[in-house]
Amino acid sequence: DVKPMVNASGGTHIVLPPYYCPRHIGMVDMMTSRGSFLFFLPWEGYTLVGTTDVKTKPDLHHQVPEDEIQYLINECEKYLSPSLRVRRRDVTSAWYGIRPLCGDPNAKDQSSASRDHVVSHHPTNGITFVSGGKWTTWREMAEDGVEQVIQRHPELKKKAGPSISLETPLLGTGKTDLFPEGYHENLAVNLSQKYDLAFDVAQHLVRNYGTRAGQVLEMVDQDTVKGSRSGLYKHYRRLYEGA
């Protein structure tokens, strides 16, 4: 039997109240008691803490391990004032993700496995496939995969032009009718002024939708809205969750 070249490593994040972290600065420790790293970050008005790195099996509906939550709580207390104690009930939410790692499936230390992707070609069936990788590098993974296919098929190479990945804007950063210049640092200000929004609401929409925030607001029936719409979007929790 052939052992799989992709291992699975589970990571847990927790969310704590805002008073555990300054609003404009974060912290990372690159060597915790487990030998991995841990970060505190201000996030959406709360404190985001992560992460863990534990060997696991792929599962689409994995529950957050309670012992991993407790580990993060224990690690947090090493960086806080002795007068503060992180309680289990302070954890407002938690989530768990599984990383695909390329490496030795028999290795005990998953943190040493590669987060990079590997593009391979099966000599028997001719399939080119991508293993491992991260969602933050998905465009590089796609580009590398296409490049290998083109190199193996001269007829495709003649038709293919140069890669345009670096020139293609991500969704929410490109030009729109409302923002013809594309994304810029004053986008939230422009949105707040045009739609008479509270600035914190405009900031939230821009963080989640970028230059498409205007399209979200256009879905509102303007005839039913009178006067300022500053409080209109604050009461829609799904919008605040970026859904």
Side-chain angles (χ1 to χ4, degrees), residues 217-229:
L217 296 175
E218 291 298 333
M219 295 179 184
V220 178
D221 184 0
Q222 298 187 30
D223 294 335
T224 62
V225 180
K226 297 180 180 180
S228 174
R229 296 191 285 175

Side-chain angles (χ1 to χ4, degrees), residues 9-214:
S9 174
T12 297
H13 295 69
I14 62 175
V15 176
L16 299 173
Y19 47 74
Y20 283 114
C21 182
R23 291 301 85 201
H24 302 291
I25 188 172
M27 183 210 77
V28 61
D29 181 358
M30 301 304 295
M31 187 59 65
T32 65
S33 61
R34 287 184 177 178
S36 58
F37 67 91
L38 180 138
F39 55 78
F40 280 76
L41 293 174
W43 177 75
E44 295 292 339
Y46 293 89
T47 300
L48 176 63
V49 180
T51 176
T52 60
D53 205 341
V54 179
K55 187 174 182 179
T56 186
K57 294 181 179 180
D59 187 349
L60 293 178
H61 305 286
H62 202 297
Q63 293 184 343
V64 182
E66 185 61 36
D67 60 331
E68 293 295 281
I69 294 177
Q70 193 58 53
Y71 159 76
L72 290 173
I73 292 175
N74 295 340
E75 289 293 317
C76 286
E77 294 185 342
K78 298 179 181 179
Y79 312 101
L80 300 173
S81 167
S83 61
L84 292 176
R85 184 173 65 87
V86 184
R87 304 164 300 176
R88 176 60 180 85
R89 62 183 180 179
D90 289 333
V91 179
T92 59
S93 62
W95 64 88
Y96 180 89
I98 298 178
R99 312 174 185 93
L101 307 180
C102 288
D104 181 1
N106 298 316
K108 295 182 179 180
D109 183 6
Q110 290 298 300
S111 62
S112 63
S114 175
R115 261 73 174 168
D116 294 334
H117 62 277
V118 175
V119 182
S120 305
H121 178 78
H122 197 288
T124 303
N125 56 31
I127 294 178
T128 298
F129 58 93
V130 182
S131 303
K134 301 171 61 177
W135 72 267
T136 51
T137 59
W138 63 271
R139 293 214 293 186
E140 181 184 11
M141 295 165 62
E143 183 175 344
D144 289 349
V146 171
E147 287 290 343
Q148 283 222 16
V149 171
I150 290 175
Q151 293 300 322
R152 291 182 178 276
H153 297 275
E155 69 279 9
L156 294 178
K157 190 174 183 179
K158 293 178 182 179
K159 301 177 182 179
S163 173
I164 59 173
S165 293
L166 294 179
E167 290 78 33
T168 304
L170 294 170
L171 292 177
T173 64
K175 299 177 181 180
T176 63
D177 292 339
L178 181 60
F179 302 112
E181 67 277 28
Y183 191 90
H184 57 81
E185 62 181 6
N186 292 320
L187 209 63
V189 176
N190 296 159
L191 196 71
S192 175
Q193 293 176 340
K194 178 174 177 57
Y195 289 96
D196 192 19
L197 287 173
F199 186 56
D200 65 322
V201 178
Q203 285 181 308
H204 171 80
L205 291 172
V206 168
R207 281 198 302 268
N208 283 274
Y209 303 100
T211 54
R212 291 191 167 194

